[in-house]
Amino acid sequence: MNAAATDHSVPSLHIFILCHNRPDDARQAIASVLAQTDSHYALTISDNSSDDRVAQMVHQHFPAIDYVRRVPMLTVQQHINRCVDDAQHSDYFCLFHDDDLMDPSYVAAMRAAAKAHPLAIAIGCNARIEASGVIEARLFFQGRHAQERIRSARDLTYRYYARAQSGFAPFPGYVYNCALVSTERLPLDGGKYVDATWLISLAERGEIVWLRDPLMTYRLHGGNDGLKESRKDRLRAMAQLKRNRSRWGKGLIEDYRCSFIYKPLLRGAAPSSPARRQLAAAFLRRYRWARYLRLDTYRSLLRRALVKWARQP
């Protein structure tokens, strides 16, 4: 373990770098964590690879860092849950990914936020987006305030799935309050979008805080699992939303169908499936008119306009 000096004035933080078959990216991610201006953290490299390349890289470049090899290899959900289990001796933990970069001020900012919001179950941050080595102008989300406080599961669900929203904090940038997370774990059958499901379930237990400043770089590349759509998993996520239809409302379910089911279906359906194309087109025509009869549509548009206005120089 990369044991740092003990400072009991602010909460302790255990950072896990989750690795899978990307030794070059992992080396950069590890170096970015070691470059923190605040050294009060512990670091574990959690290697869930199918080969030995990450192990060899760590042995060569970071022999003193706490390294754990997951044998046999775990599913993504199992890997995350195992790290959460291993973090229970700390006040907070972070599940950082091997293909992202941590800003030098990340630990300092997160520890300060944890001290300021001791009842928050999770604290996320904004991120720069790097695509093919180029930093884009946009950030992961836009916020009116330096700290966005999300006080309910409904609020977080709308930020993920409703139309006219302003983005969300990326999953790898979160730190979690161990005591409040307690025994909550990712469902093993949740599919590839289970990160949102898990965060929504955490929002049932406590407040979530987003820091508007970008404290990491989220790197987009061909190996990003999040860039590969899965209609099966999107339908599974919609089924989970529908089980709580009375809480979210029909409007949110319709927004989800539009953005994640029917629009992609219409764009990607093969010419040999005219029935599916007709179904998608009919739904979208009806949806476009119906959403302008909903009050929450105008609330979302107003919130987005206020965010843009607040961020003007």
Side-chain angles (χ1 to χ4, degrees), residues 187-200:
L188 298 182
D189 60 348
K192 67 180 296 182
Y193 307 113
V194 71
D195 53 345
T197 303
W198 192 54
L199 286 165
I200 291 168

Side-chain angles (χ1 to χ4, degrees), residues 212-232:
R212 187 178 62 192
D213 290 340
L215 299 175
M216 61 173 289
T217 299
Y218 189 96
R219 298 196 286 184
L220 299 175
H221 52 79
N224 282 111
D225 183 63
L227 296 180
K228 302 171 185 176
E229 277 292 310
S230 168
R231 190 171 300 158
K232 177 182 177 182

Side-chain angles (χ1 to χ4, degrees), residues 157-179:
T157 303
Y158 268 76
R159 289 172 187 257
Y160 265 98
Y161 300 130
R163 298 295 301 276
Q165 296 304 308
S166 300
F168 51 87
F171 184 65
Y174 275 92
V175 299
Y176 303 91
N177 185 318
C178 285

Side-chain angles (χ1 to χ4, degrees), residues 3-155:
T6 302
D7 180 358
H8 298 291
S9 64
V10 285
S12 62
L13 173 61
H14 193 153
I15 299 171
F16 292 84
I17 299 182
L18 281 66
C19 299
H20 180 74
N21 292 348
R22 288 189 286 247
D24 292 336
D25 288 341
R27 178 175 53 81
Q28 296 174 52
I30 295 166
S32 74
V33 175
L34 295 177
Q36 293 300 299
T37 59
D38 184 338
S39 62
H40 296 94
Y41 65 92
L43 173 61
T44 295
I45 302 167
S46 182
D47 185 8
N48 193 40
S49 296
S50 62
D51 57 45
D52 296 328
R53 290 178 298 153
V54 170
Q56 293 169 359
M57 179 275 296
V58 172
H59 178 73
Q60 178 181 356
H61 295 283
F62 309 103
I65 304 299
D66 184 34
Y67 170 83
V68 178
R69 180 71 180 270
R70 306 298 182 181
V71 179
M73 194 174 72
L74 307 172
T75 67
V76 172
Q77 293 91 338
Q78 289 172 334
H79 188 198
I80 291 174
N81 287 343
R82 188 69 59 84
C83 291
V84 177
D85 292 339
D86 292 347
Q88 292 306 304
H89 67 282
S90 300
D91 296 320
Y92 287 82
F93 64 90
C94 170
L95 304 168
F96 205 68
H97 291 179
D98 63 353
D99 54 347
D100 296 321
L101 298 175
M102 189 176 285
D103 278 20
S105 60
Y106 177 91
V107 169
M110 284 297 186
R111 294 180 81 215
K115 185 176 181 181
H117 302 279
L119 298 182
I121 193 169
I123 302 170
C125 68
N126 216 333
R128 301 175 192 86
I129 300 173
E130 178 188 302
S132 302
V134 177
I135 300 295
E136 298 185 353
R138 64 189 175 109
L139 297 176
F140 236 83
F141 72 88
Q142 298 292 325
R144 292 176 60 196
H145 309 289
Q147 297 182 354
E148 296 279 322
R149 302 179 69 177
I150 300 165
R151 303 174 188 272
S152 69
R154 189 177 191 277
D155 186 3

